[in-house]
């Protein structure tokens, strides 16, 4: 009898809760157990996971190894969680929602397989109602696979594929009657604005409702348009009949809304659309309700006049964004995600390319709120082949991306391919190359059709490599999307800055119908490298600044360029990269820890209306320089200021060194630095207000005549074969650029700077056994001597080498292809002041290729002859990477 009574009570409780329950969403990120590797039986309820690591989500297993190893872990990882469900969940449908798992997820509840999801950058949900015990303790097991051999996008890419459950996970509880939870991870509600202009707007709301109860339902769908003060400005009602266990669609159209507040970067005004399901009875119980963002705006692209928003011309300027943070990988919490968009807005950016994959929902939400227009894209790039699983996942990822983000007014274009022919273009088999191009083009046409079916309100795009214009045109890629993005790196990987303008003008002339965006442009920079004579691909901060100064001018001078996104907003992890900072693509406007580089303020000077004044030497506050004449008490070096104030005055240690007119966002002062600390103060007047920026520069003057130096702590370090100063941030030692020998000073005699190719100083292969990789990537070869005309005394001489031989490569990604100069092994003798110090020396054979090594010798400088380091050729060419001389007494 007691059991019967209890059953009745529970039944009544279920019916009551079913009537009144609405959707609730609760994060379940805490206290997961995690293990890397294949494990038999890990999905079972009784599996012992006590030795596993406890982690909170978001989590990636590549937060450390991808930053220190080229071959980071890609494979299987397991996650477990105990989930206690209380009586409050009785009478509800339960779903588990994952915002992102890379790359494939198999989900088990209480030992039973619930489902799998393929694709690492979009959300997905499973109905777990029939798998859980309520009330009771439940187990969740997720097998995550990030293996390379999965036929899932991205097949390849110049960025790290971080494995793990790296976004939030939620438990979603709903009424038995609810908005569709299984519509490609979307909200099940879709907002459009079929009419928008300055004076009127209409809102269209459509969606689907699921009736998982055992009864037929008569429902009312109510949608309210609410302004940001909370006032309902429009209400729409419609009826919906649903049979038990059925889904039903609804579509609503509002009456005209007068004088809508238009959404734009200057005024990111958001309305809310609140859509509710009401029981069609006397109680009018709200069974489910969801809020969606709404922004009234319209836009257009024109091949000649660029982009316009709400009928007004607007140049789209911003950045592409990768999502990693050192130590976390791609598992950023929502506050870190929000901070990135705030930094982009603070830069003056009004546009973001969410690349090369859909990112955390917080990103687009913040773009809505701050007024940043969005290009979002799927992770299909570089490599494609004819595989049904690959194709199917590309299609599902495209649909998931569009439906999950459909209601965000900030999104204006969807992308579905990035440089997709780049890998194919390297094939030597012409027939195979042609076959893959044709297959890829056919699939691109299929994706284009799906995209236009999914969303008729926005435009399509793909990013094309500027070097592939011939095959893009031949196979029809450039004729498919509404807008073409061009990835261009003139002045970095090849050519000169001005070649960018030549290229884009040619595209515009030969294909005047193409609507163009510059989807990538950028140059690498390393805070340790600075140059008074910067050159292409030297990774100096100064070359990056010159690059962006030129590109901004060229982009803004061409109205037909709709917009541009810098590659990249941050220095991001690319584990396969080597270059000056292995594992990092350092083209960012900010460092990976989100500290702005000086060039970030150039963009502020161009883009912000509020006053900007920035002494652009935060990246170079420890400086050295050589006297022009022996009696000089100062050494002049350039200092740049980024500003949008008409005139700026710069002071050095309280004394004015001139007023400059600012042009194109900057001006350069020749600053006479004195030894020790130098205080810079910049002042500019805007209206009635004075704006200031201050900075201290620590400067060391190197005497023009070394044998006049009596300081027993004298030390000089030379970055041989390089045009750059290199500063070790650990010990603050600055290595001077290479220079020819002059009597009384220091420098090389003979030889050449090694260049990997035209416009490529040094090489970009990683050098091991050192933290100072750039110091060993440049060198001088074929020299006869390096001389230091120091005063008499005892000195410590450090000679730095890195063996290379066949390991140098023309490719920054691949070290298998030899360069001509690297084919022969060098062997030579090294003498200091005529004394043999290194005999039959071969750095590669004796220490291993691409391993840094330095040899230290204590020698005497006598009879005012200084120090001469001589190189005797035995085989190949003698070479040296760096030299440091330090006086002992």
């Amino acid at each position: 009898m007691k059991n019967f009574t209890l059953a009745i009570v529970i039944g009544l409780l279920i019916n009551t809760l079913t009537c009144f329950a609405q959707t609730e969403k609760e994060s379940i990120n805490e206290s997961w157990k995690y293990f890397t590797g294949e494990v038999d039986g890990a999905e079972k309820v009784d599996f012992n996971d006590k030795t596993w690591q406890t982690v909170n989500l978001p989590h990636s297993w590549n937060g450390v190894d991808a930053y220190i190893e080229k071959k980071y872990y890609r494979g299987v990882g397991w996650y477990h969680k105990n989930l206690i469900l209380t009586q409050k969940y009785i009478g509800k449908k339960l779903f588990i929602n994952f915002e992102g798992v890379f790359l494939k997820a198999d989900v088990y509840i209480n030992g039973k397989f619930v489902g799998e999801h393929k694709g690492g950058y979009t959300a997905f949900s499973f109905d777990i109602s029939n798998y859980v015990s309520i009330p009771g303790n439940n187990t969740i097991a997720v097998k995550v696979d990030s293996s390379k051999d999965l036929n899932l996008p991205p097949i390849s890419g110049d960025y790290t594929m971080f494995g793990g459950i790296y976004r939030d996970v939620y438990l979603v509880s709903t009424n038995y009657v609810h908005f569709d939870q299984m519509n490609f991870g979307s909200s099940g509600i879709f907002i459009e604005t079929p009419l928008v202009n300055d004076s009127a707007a209409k809102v269209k709301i459509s969606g689907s409702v699921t009736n998982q109860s055992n009864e037929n339902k008569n429902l009312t769908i109510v949608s309210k348009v609410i302004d940001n003060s909370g006032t309902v400005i429009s209400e729409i009602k419609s009826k919906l009949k649903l049979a038990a266990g059925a889904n039903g669609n609804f579509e609503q159209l509002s009456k005209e809304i007068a004088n809508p507040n238009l959404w734009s970067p200057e005024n990111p005004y958001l309305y809310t659309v609140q859509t509710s399901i009401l029981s069609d009875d006397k109680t009018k119980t709200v069974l489910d309700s969801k809020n969606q963002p709404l922004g009234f705006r319209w836009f257009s692209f024109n091949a000649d006049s660029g982009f316009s928003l709400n009928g007004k011309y607007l140049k789209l300027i911003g950045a592409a964004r990768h999502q990693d943070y050192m130590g976390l990988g791609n598992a950023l919490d929502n506050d870190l995600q929000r901070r990135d968009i705030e930094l982009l807005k603070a830069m003056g950016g009004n546009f973001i390319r969410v690349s090369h994959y859909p990112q955390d929902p917080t990103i687009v939400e913040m773009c809505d709120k701050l007024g940043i227009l969005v290009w979002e894209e799927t992770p299909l790039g570089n490599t494609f082949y004819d595989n049904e699983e690959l194709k199917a996942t590309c299609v599902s990822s495209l649909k998931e991306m569009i439906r999950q983000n459909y209601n965000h007014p900030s999104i204006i274009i969807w992308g579905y391919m990035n440089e997709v022919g780049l890998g194919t273009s390297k094939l030597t088999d012409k027939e195979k190359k042609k076959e893959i191009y044709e297959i890829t083009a056919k699939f691109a046409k299929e994706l284009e059709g799906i995209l236009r079916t999914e969303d008729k309100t926005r435009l399509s795009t793909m990013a094309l490599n500027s070097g592939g214009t011939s095959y893009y045109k031949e196979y029809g890629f450039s004729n498919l999307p509404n807008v073409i993005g061009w990835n261009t790196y003139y002045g970095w990987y090849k050519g000169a800055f001005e070649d960018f303008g030549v290229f884009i003008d040619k595209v515009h002339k030969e294909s005047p119908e193409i609507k163009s965006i510059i989807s990538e442009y950028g140059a690498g920079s390393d805070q340790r490298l600075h140059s008074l004579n910067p050159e292409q691909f030297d990774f100096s901060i100064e070359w990056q600044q010159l690059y962006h100064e030129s590109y901004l001018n060229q982009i803004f001078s061409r109205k037909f360029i709709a917009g541009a996104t810098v590659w990249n907003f941050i220095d991001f992890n690319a584990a396969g990269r080597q270059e000056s900072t292995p594992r990092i693509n350092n083209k960012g406007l900010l460092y990976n820890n989100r500290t702005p580089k000086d060039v970030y303020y150039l963009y502020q000077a161009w883009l912000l209306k509020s006053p900007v004044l920035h002494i652009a030497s935060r990246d170079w506050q420890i400086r050295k320089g050589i006297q022009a004449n022996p009696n000089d008490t100062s050494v002049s070096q350039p200092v740049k200021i980024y500003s949008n104030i008409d005139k700026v005055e710069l002071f050095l240690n309280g004394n004015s060194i001139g007023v400059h007119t600012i042009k194109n966002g900057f001006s350069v002062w020749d600053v006479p630095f004195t030894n020790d600390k130098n205080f810079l103060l910049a002042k500019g007047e805007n209206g009635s207000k004075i704006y200031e920026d201050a900075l201290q520069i620590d400067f060391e003057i190197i005497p023009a005549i070394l044998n006049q130096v009596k300081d027993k702590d004298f030390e000089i370090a030379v970055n041989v074969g390089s045009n750059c100063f290199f500063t070790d941030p650990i010990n603050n030692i600055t290595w001077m650029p290479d220079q020819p020998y002059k009597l009384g000073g220091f420098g090389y005699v003979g030889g050449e700077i090694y260049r990997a190719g035209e416009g490529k100083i040094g090489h970009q292969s990683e050098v091991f056994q050192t933290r100072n990789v750039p110091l060993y990537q440049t060198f001088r070869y074929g020299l006869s001597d390096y001389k230091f005309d120091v005063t008499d005394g005892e000195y410590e001489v450090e000679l730095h080498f890195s063996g290379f031989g066949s390991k140098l490569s023309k490719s920054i990604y691949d070290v298998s292809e030899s360069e001509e100069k690297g084919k022969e092994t060098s062997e030579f003798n090294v003498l200091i002041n005529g004394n043999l110090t290194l005999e039959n020396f071969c750095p590669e054979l004796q220490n291993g290729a691409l391993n840094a090594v330095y040899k230290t010798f204590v020698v005497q400088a006598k009879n005012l002859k200084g120090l001469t380091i001589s190189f005797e050729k035995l085989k190949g060419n003698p070479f040296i990477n760096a030299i440091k001389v330090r006086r002992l007494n």
Side-chain angles (χ1 to χ4, degrees), residues 714-736:
F714 171 78
E715 180 178 82
I716 188 167
V718 184
N719 189 6
V720 180
S722 175
N723 62 317
C724 290
F725 296 87
F726 174 84
T727 300
D728 182 338
I730 304 298
N731 57 28
N732 287 337
I733 292 176
T734 295
W735 301 71
M736 304 289 290

PDB file of all heavy atoms in Angstrom, residues 714-736:
ATOM      1  N   PHE A 714      84.336  45.856 -18.745  1.00  0.00           N
ATOM      2  CA  PHE A 714      83.979  46.018 -20.155  1.00  0.00           C
ATOM      3  C   PHE A 714      83.536  44.680 -20.761  1.00  0.00           C
ATOM      4  O   PHE A 714      84.138  43.630 -20.537  1.00  0.00           O
ATOM      5  CB  PHE A 714      85.190  46.548 -20.941  1.00  0.00           C
ATOM      6  CG  PHE A 714      84.982  46.552 -22.437  1.00  0.00           C
ATOM      7  CD1 PHE A 714      84.226  47.540 -23.040  1.00  0.00           C
ATOM      8  CD2 PHE A 714      85.527  45.550 -23.232  1.00  0.00           C
ATOM      9  CE1 PHE A 714      84.028  47.542 -24.415  1.00  0.00           C
ATOM     10  CE2 PHE A 714      85.329  45.543 -24.598  1.00  0.00           C
ATOM     11  CZ  PHE A 714      84.579  46.546 -25.192  1.00  0.00           C
ATOM     12  N   GLU A 715      82.445  44.748 -21.550  1.00  0.00           N
ATOM     13  CA  GLU A 715      81.925  43.566 -22.225  1.00  0.00           C
ATOM     14  C   GLU A 715      81.274  43.998 -23.527  1.00  0.00           C
ATOM     15  O   GLU A 715      80.588  45.030 -23.584  1.00  0.00           O
ATOM     16  CB  GLU A 715      80.901  42.865 -21.332  1.00  0.00           C
ATOM     17  CG  GLU A 715      80.280  41.615 -21.934  1.00  0.00           C
ATOM     18  CD  GLU A 715      79.304  40.953 -20.964  1.00  0.00           C
ATOM     19  OE1 GLU A 715      78.142  41.412 -20.886  1.00  0.00           O
ATOM     20  OE2 GLU A 715      79.714  40.006 -20.263  1.00  0.00           O
ATOM     21  N   ILE A 716      81.497  43.248 -24.564  1.00  0.00           N
ATOM     22  CA  ILE A 716      80.822  43.507 -25.828  1.00  0.00           C
ATOM     23  C   ILE A 716      80.421  42.181 -26.447  1.00  0.00           C
ATOM     24  O   ILE A 716      81.194  41.220 -26.447  1.00  0.00           O
ATOM     25  CB  ILE A 716      81.703  44.335 -26.794  1.00  0.00           C
ATOM     26  CG1 ILE A 716      80.887  44.740 -28.026  1.00  0.00           C
ATOM     27  CG2 ILE A 716      82.968  43.587 -27.181  1.00  0.00           C
ATOM     28  CD1 ILE A 716      81.574  45.796 -28.871  1.00  0.00           C
ATOM     29  N   ALA A 717      79.167  42.125 -26.919  1.00  0.00           N
ATOM     30  CA  ALA A 717      78.628  40.908 -27.527  1.00  0.00           C
ATOM     31  C   ALA A 717      78.130  41.261 -28.916  1.00  0.00           C
ATOM     32  O   ALA A 717      77.498  42.305 -29.113  1.00  0.00           O
ATOM     33  CB  ALA A 717      77.483  40.347 -26.683  1.00  0.00           C
ATOM     34  N   VAL A 718      78.409  40.386 -29.884  1.00  0.00           N
ATOM     35  CA  VAL A 718      78.081  40.680 -31.285  1.00  0.00           C
ATOM     36  C   VAL A 718      77.224  39.561 -31.871  1.00  0.00           C
ATOM     37  O   VAL A 718      77.574  38.379 -31.785  1.00  0.00           O
ATOM     38  CB  VAL A 718      79.357  40.854 -32.140  1.00  0.00           C
ATOM     39  CG1 VAL A 718      78.976  41.267 -33.560  1.00  0.00           C
ATOM     40  CG2 VAL A 718      80.289  41.885 -31.520  1.00  0.00           C
ATOM     41  N   ASN A 719      76.105  39.939 -32.448  1.00  0.00           N
ATOM     42  CA  ASN A 719      75.201  39.044 -33.153  1.00  0.00           C
ATOM     43  C   ASN A 719      75.707  38.911 -34.591  1.00  0.00           C
ATOM     44  O   ASN A 719      75.204  39.562 -35.510  1.00  0.00           O
ATOM     45  CB  ASN A 719      73.777  39.618 -33.101  1.00  0.00           C
ATOM     46  CG  ASN A 719      72.728  38.676 -33.616  1.00  0.00           C
ATOM     47  OD1 ASN A 719      73.007  37.527 -33.926  1.00  0.00           O
ATOM     48  ND2 ASN A 719      71.505  39.175 -33.741  1.00  0.00           N
ATOM     49  N   VAL A 720      76.680  38.062 -34.788  1.00  0.00           N
ATOM     50  CA  VAL A 720      77.403  37.986 -36.061  1.00  0.00           C
ATOM     51  C   VAL A 720      76.452  37.511 -37.172  1.00  0.00           C
ATOM     52  O   VAL A 720      75.662  36.592 -36.986  1.00  0.00           O
ATOM     53  CB  VAL A 720      78.613  37.042 -35.949  1.00  0.00           C
ATOM     54  CG1 VAL A 720      79.372  36.966 -37.274  1.00  0.00           C
ATOM     55  CG2 VAL A 720      79.546  37.501 -34.831  1.00  0.00           C
ATOM     56  N   GLY A 721      76.553  38.171 -38.315  1.00  0.00           N
ATOM     57  CA  GLY A 721      75.727  37.799 -39.455  1.00  0.00           C
ATOM     58  C   GLY A 721      74.319  38.327 -39.398  1.00  0.00           C
ATOM     59  O   GLY A 721      73.458  37.918 -40.186  1.00  0.00           O
ATOM     60  N   SER A 722      74.063  39.254 -38.484  1.00  0.00           N
ATOM     61  CA  SER A 722      72.709  39.778 -38.321  1.00  0.00           C
ATOM     62  C   SER A 722      72.713  41.300 -38.361  1.00  0.00           C
ATOM     63  O   SER A 722      73.687  41.941 -37.956  1.00  0.00           O
ATOM     64  CB  SER A 722      72.115  39.312 -36.988  1.00  0.00           C
ATOM     65  OG  SER A 722      70.847  39.901 -36.772  1.00  0.00           O
ATOM     66  N   ASN A 723      71.619  41.865 -38.818  1.00  0.00           N
ATOM     67  CA  ASN A 723      71.418  43.313 -38.808  1.00  0.00           C
ATOM     68  C   ASN A 723      70.760  43.780 -37.524  1.00  0.00           C
ATOM     69  O   ASN A 723      70.473  44.961 -37.367  1.00  0.00           O
ATOM     70  CB  ASN A 723      70.526  43.718 -39.986  1.00  0.00           C
ATOM     71  CG  ASN A 723      69.137  43.085 -39.892  1.00  0.00           C
ATOM     72  OD1 ASN A 723      69.014  41.903 -39.565  1.00  0.00           O
ATOM     73  ND2 ASN A 723      68.102  43.850 -40.153  1.00  0.00           N
ATOM     74  N   CYS A 724      70.520  42.841 -36.590  1.00  0.00           N
ATOM     75  CA  CYS A 724      69.696  43.139 -35.411  1.00  0.00           C
ATOM     76  C   CYS A 724      70.481  43.150 -34.105  1.00  0.00           C
ATOM     77  O   CYS A 724      71.408  42.350 -33.912  1.00  0.00           O
ATOM     78  CB  CYS A 724      68.580  42.104 -35.274  1.00  0.00           C
ATOM     79  SG  CYS A 724      67.301  42.226 -36.525  1.00  0.00           S
ATOM     80  N   PHE A 725      70.036  44.041 -33.217  1.00  0.00           N
ATOM     81  CA  PHE A 725      70.369  43.903 -31.812  1.00  0.00           C
ATOM     82  C   PHE A 725      69.549  42.726 -31.278  1.00  0.00           C
ATOM     83  O   PHE A 725      68.381  42.564 -31.629  1.00  0.00           O
ATOM     84  CB  PHE A 725      69.974  45.153 -31.024  1.00  0.00           C
ATOM     85  CG  PHE A 725      70.702  46.406 -31.406  1.00  0.00           C
ATOM     86  CD1 PHE A 725      70.237  47.205 -32.438  1.00  0.00           C
ATOM     87  CD2 PHE A 725      71.834  46.804 -30.713  1.00  0.00           C
ATOM     88  CE1 PHE A 725      70.892  48.382 -32.786  1.00  0.00           C
ATOM     89  CE2 PHE A 725      72.496  47.979 -31.042  1.00  0.00           C
ATOM     90  CZ  PHE A 725      72.024  48.763 -32.084  1.00  0.00           C
ATOM     91  N   PHE A 726      70.164  41.932 -30.429  1.00  0.00           N
ATOM     92  CA  PHE A 726      69.426  40.852 -29.779  1.00  0.00           C
ATOM     93  C   PHE A 726      69.616  40.968 -28.280  1.00  0.00           C
ATOM     94  O   PHE A 726      70.752  40.973 -27.791  1.00  0.00           O
ATOM     95  CB  PHE A 726      69.920  39.477 -30.253  1.00  0.00           C
ATOM     96  CG  PHE A 726      69.280  38.327 -29.505  1.00  0.00           C
ATOM     97  CD1 PHE A 726      68.051  37.837 -29.898  1.00  0.00           C
ATOM     98  CD2 PHE A 726      69.888  37.775 -28.382  1.00  0.00           C
ATOM     99  CE1 PHE A 726      67.445  36.797 -29.199  1.00  0.00           C
ATOM    100  CE2 PHE A 726      69.286  36.738 -27.673  1.00  0.00           C
ATOM    101  CZ  PHE A 726      68.061  36.247 -28.088  1.00  0.00           C
ATOM    102  N   THR A 727      68.512  41.074 -27.533  1.00  0.00           N
ATOM    103  CA  THR A 727      68.583  41.195 -26.074  1.00  0.00           C
ATOM    104  C   THR A 727      68.010  39.950 -25.419  1.00  0.00           C
ATOM    105  O   THR A 727      66.854  39.589 -25.660  1.00  0.00           O
ATOM    106  CB  THR A 727      67.830  42.438 -25.584  1.00  0.00           C
ATOM    107  OG1 THR A 727      68.401  43.601 -26.171  1.00  0.00           O
ATOM    108  CG2 THR A 727      67.911  42.550 -24.069  1.00  0.00           C
ATOM    109  N   ASP A 728      68.830  39.309 -24.629  1.00  0.00           N
ATOM    110  CA  ASP A 728      68.397  38.155 -23.848  1.00  0.00           C
ATOM    111  C   ASP A 728      67.571  38.677 -22.673  1.00  0.00           C
ATOM    112  O   ASP A 728      68.097  39.381 -21.807  1.00  0.00           O
ATOM    113  CB  ASP A 728      69.625  37.390 -23.346  1.00  0.00           C
ATOM    114  CG  ASP A 728      69.264  36.131 -22.550  1.00  0.00           C
ATOM    115  OD1 ASP A 728      68.140  36.055 -22.026  1.00  0.00           O
ATOM    116  OD2 ASP A 728      70.117  35.237 -22.446  1.00  0.00           O
ATOM    117  N   PRO A 729      66.271  38.366 -22.616  1.00  0.00           N
ATOM    118  CA  PRO A 729      65.429  38.928 -21.551  1.00  0.00           C
ATOM    119  C   PRO A 729      65.722  38.360 -20.173  1.00  0.00           C
ATOM    120  O   PRO A 729      65.240  38.895 -19.169  1.00  0.00           O
ATOM    121  CB  PRO A 729      64.005  38.554 -22.005  1.00  0.00           C
ATOM    122  CG  PRO A 729      64.189  37.330 -22.833  1.00  0.00           C
ATOM    123  CD  PRO A 729      65.513  37.478 -23.521  1.00  0.00           C
ATOM    124  N   ILE A 730      66.494  37.270 -20.109  1.00  0.00           N
ATOM    125  CA  ILE A 730      66.822  36.679 -18.820  1.00  0.00           C
ATOM    126  C   ILE A 730      67.945  37.444 -18.134  1.00  0.00           C
ATOM    127  O   ILE A 730      67.869  37.780 -16.947  1.00  0.00           O
ATOM    128  CB  ILE A 730      67.213  35.192 -18.973  1.00  0.00           C
ATOM    129  CG1 ILE A 730      66.101  34.415 -19.678  1.00  0.00           C
ATOM    130  CG2 ILE A 730      67.539  34.575 -17.617  1.00  0.00           C
ATOM    131  CD1 ILE A 730      64.792  34.387 -18.945  1.00  0.00           C
ATOM    132  N   ASN A 731      69.016  37.749 -18.886  1.00  0.00           N
ATOM    133  CA  ASN A 731      70.156  38.434 -18.277  1.00  0.00           C
ATOM    134  C   ASN A 731      70.344  39.860 -18.782  1.00  0.00           C
ATOM    135  O   ASN A 731      71.278  40.549 -18.357  1.00  0.00           O
ATOM    136  CB  ASN A 731      71.450  37.631 -18.496  1.00  0.00           C
ATOM    137  CG  ASN A 731      71.731  37.369 -19.969  1.00  0.00           C
ATOM    138  OD1 ASN A 731      71.337  38.145 -20.842  1.00  0.00           O
ATOM    139  ND2 ASN A 731      72.421  36.279 -20.261  1.00  0.00           N
ATOM    140  N   ASN A 732      69.471  40.296 -19.714  1.00  0.00           N
ATOM    141  CA  ASN A 732      69.502  41.652 -20.278  1.00  0.00           C
ATOM    142  C   ASN A 732      70.776  41.965 -21.058  1.00  0.00           C
ATOM    143  O   ASN A 732      71.080  43.132 -21.298  1.00  0.00           O
ATOM    144  CB  ASN A 732      69.283  42.711 -19.193  1.00  0.00           C
ATOM    145  CG  ASN A 732      67.844  42.759 -18.724  1.00  0.00           C
ATOM    146  OD1 ASN A 732      66.941  42.341 -19.433  1.00  0.00           O
ATOM    147  ND2 ASN A 732      67.629  43.232 -17.510  1.00  0.00           N
ATOM    148  N   ILE A 733      71.528  40.957 -21.453  1.00  0.00           N
ATOM    149  CA  ILE A 733      72.681  41.189 -22.318  1.00  0.00           C
ATOM    150  C   ILE A 733      72.196  41.471 -23.732  1.00  0.00           C
ATOM    151  O   ILE A 733      71.384  40.723 -24.279  1.00  0.00           O
ATOM    152  CB  ILE A 733      73.647  39.985 -22.310  1.00  0.00           C
ATOM    153  CG1 ILE A 733      74.319  39.864 -20.945  1.00  0.00           C
ATOM    154  CG2 ILE A 733      74.684  40.103 -23.416  1.00  0.00           C
ATOM    155  CD1 ILE A 733      75.207  38.656 -20.808  1.00  0.00           C
ATOM    156  N   THR A 734      72.688  42.554 -24.309  1.00  0.00           N
ATOM    157  CA  THR A 734      72.335  42.921 -25.675  1.00  0.00           C
ATOM    158  C   THR A 734      73.500  42.641 -26.599  1.00  0.00           C
ATOM    159  O   THR A 734      74.619  43.113 -26.367  1.00  0.00           O
ATOM    160  CB  THR A 734      71.933  44.403 -25.772  1.00  0.00           C
ATOM    161  OG1 THR A 734      70.743  44.616 -25.016  1.00  0.00           O
ATOM    162  CG2 THR A 734      71.688  44.809 -27.213  1.00  0.00           C
ATOM    163  N   TRP A 735      73.224  41.880 -27.647  1.00  0.00           N
ATOM    164  CA  TRP A 735      74.211  41.539 -28.664  1.00  0.00           C
ATOM    165  C   TRP A 735      74.067  42.523 -29.823  1.00  0.00           C
ATOM    166  O   TRP A 735      72.978  42.707 -30.361  1.00  0.00           O
ATOM    167  CB  TRP A 735      74.005  40.103 -29.139  1.00  0.00           C
ATOM    168  CG  TRP A 735      74.108  39.095 -28.028  1.00  0.00           C
ATOM    169  CD1 TRP A 735      73.231  38.888 -27.014  1.00  0.00           C
ATOM    170  CD2 TRP A 735      75.165  38.154 -27.830  1.00  0.00           C
ATOM    171  NE1 TRP A 735      73.658  37.897 -26.178  1.00  0.00           N
ATOM    172  CE2 TRP A 735      74.847  37.412 -26.659  1.00  0.00           C
ATOM    173  CE3 TRP A 735      76.341  37.851 -28.514  1.00  0.00           C
ATOM    174  CZ2 TRP A 735      75.669  36.404 -26.164  1.00  0.00           C
ATOM    175  CZ3 TRP A 735      77.152  36.833 -28.036  1.00  0.00           C
ATOM    176  CH2 TRP A 735      76.826  36.134 -26.872  1.00  0.00           C
ATOM    177  N   MET A 736      75.191  43.170 -30.182  1.00  0.00           N
ATOM    178  CA  MET A 736      75.181  44.213 -31.206  1.00  0.00           C
ATOM    179  C   MET A 736      75.063  43.614 -32.608  1.00  0.00           C
ATOM    180  O   MET A 736      75.473  42.472 -32.848  1.00  0.00           O
ATOM    181  CB  MET A 736      76.488  45.016 -31.126  1.00  0.00           C
ATOM    182  CG  MET A 736      76.776  45.621 -29.768  1.00  0.00           C
ATOM    183  SD  MET A 736      75.671  46.981 -29.380  1.00  0.00           S
ATOM    184  CE  MET A 736      76.258  48.216 -30.551  1.00  0.00           C
TER     185      MET A 736
END
